[in-house]
């Protein structure tokens, strides 16, 4: 008799982000593989500052109503689900990543040998950023938020300026797409 694999989703091994419109259908392991493989649509983050990675789900809230005569709960109100978030701080990053997660734009170098991004400038006003976030845990679990609201800020992190990021799961606009997926790494492979 086959047994289901047991997981713990331990820490973080790899992390990617992609444009929110990268997921247009119900995700499969093959579609996640296509995004994260070399040349795929996802961009890998190469530095997460120590002990800043977590996936958190806030407790749901629900009003309870008491019977005034007995003091016992006799009915429950509507339940509000808690937010699911990916939380991490980039300890080292390039200007393109800073622009992708914080908004704003990169500044190109002014000389021919400085054609790369040599700076960043902040966007004026309120910045709205939506991304697909993909995490691979150390015990080989892919966790995916296909449509996440990303808030990022500069944060002093052990003497350096990191980028503190919170990706909050949103309900995708496409009803075929679930708000959160988990895949064992054995399923994230090229389609047969």
């Amino acid at each position: 008799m086959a047994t289901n694999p047991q997981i713990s989703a331990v820490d973080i091994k790899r992390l990617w982000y992609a444009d929110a419109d990268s997921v247009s259908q119900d995700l499969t392991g093959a579609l996640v593989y296509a995004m994260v493989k070399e040349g795929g649509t996802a961009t890998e983050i190469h530095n997460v500052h120590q002990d800043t990675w977590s996936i958190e789900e806030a407790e749901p809230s629900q009003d309870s109503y008491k019977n005034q005569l007995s003091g016992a709960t006799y009915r429950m109100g509507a339940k509000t689900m808690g937010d699911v978030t990916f939380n991490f701080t980039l300890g080292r990053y390039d200007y393109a990543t800073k622009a992708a997660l914080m908004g704003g734009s990169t500044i190109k170098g002014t000389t021919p040998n400085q054609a790369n991004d040599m700076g960043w400038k902040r966007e004026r006003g309120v910045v709205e950023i939506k991304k697909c976030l993909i995490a691979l845990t150390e015990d080989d679990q892919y966790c995916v938020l296909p449509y996440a609201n990303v808030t990022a800020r500069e944060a002093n992190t052990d003497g350096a300026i990191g980028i503190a990021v919170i990706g909050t799961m949103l309900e995708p606009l496409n009803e075929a797409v679930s708000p959160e997926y988990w895949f064992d790494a054995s399923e994230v492979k090229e389609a047969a």
Side-chain angles (χ1 to χ4, degrees):
M1 183 169 130
T3 60
N4 289 324
Q6 300 291 305
I7 65 167
S8 292
V10 177
D11 215 343
I12 185 79
K13 187 186 321 188
R14 297 179 76 183
L15 182 62
W16 299 264
Y17 65 88
D19 290 335
D21 60 3
S22 296
V23 179
S24 60
Q25 60 185 336
D26 192 27
L27 273 179
T28 63
L31 291 172
V32 173
Y33 176 80
M35 293 174 71
V36 301
K37 72 178 183 178
E38 187 73 31
T41 57
T43 301
E44 187 165 6
I45 292 171
H46 295 286
N47 183 296
V48 174
H49 187 72
Q50 69 182 24
D51 301 326
T52 62
W53 165 258
S54 69
I55 297 176
E56 297 289 335
E57 182 170 4
E59 288 189 37
S61 63
Q62 188 171 23
D63 292 330
S64 61
Y65 299 97
K66 306 277 185 193
N67 175 339
Q68 193 170 355
L69 299 173
S70 68
T73 300
Y74 76 96
R75 74 176 167 97
M76 299 296 291
K79 184 185 289 186
T80 302
M81 298 304 293
D83 289 338
V84 174
T85 60
F86 283 14
N87 309 284
F88 55 94
T89 299
L90 281 66
R92 181 178 287 161
Y93 45 88
D94 59 17
Y95 289 120
T97 301
K98 186 175 177 79
L101 298 177
M102 290 184 65
S105 57
T106 59
I107 301 169
K108 299 291 183 199
T110 56
T111 62
N113 62 346
Q114 291 181 328
N116 295 330
D117 298 331
M118 300 302 288
W120 170 82
K121 59 183 175 182
R122 185 180 294 274
E123 191 172 323
R124 296 174 69 95
V126 176
V127 178
E128 294 288 334
I129 297 176
K130 307 292 188 277
K131 295 287 181 193
C132 170
L133 299 174
I134 305 167
L136 175 61
T137 67
E138 287 183 0
D139 57 343
D140 295 325
Q141 299 303 305
Y142 280 87
C143 310
V144 184
L145 299 182
Y147 190 59
N149 184 68
V150 173
T151 56
R153 62 182 177 82
E154 295 164 339
N156 188 321
T157 308
D158 295 325
I161 304 302
I163 300 175
V165 179
I166 299 173
T168 304
M169 178 187 79
L170 297 174
E171 188 172 86
L173 301 175
N174 181 339
E175 289 186 13
V177 179
S178 289
E180 181 179 9
Y181 292 84
W182 286 50
F183 294 99
D184 187 84
S186 64
E187 292 298 308
V188 180
K189 58 189 177 198
E190 196 162 11

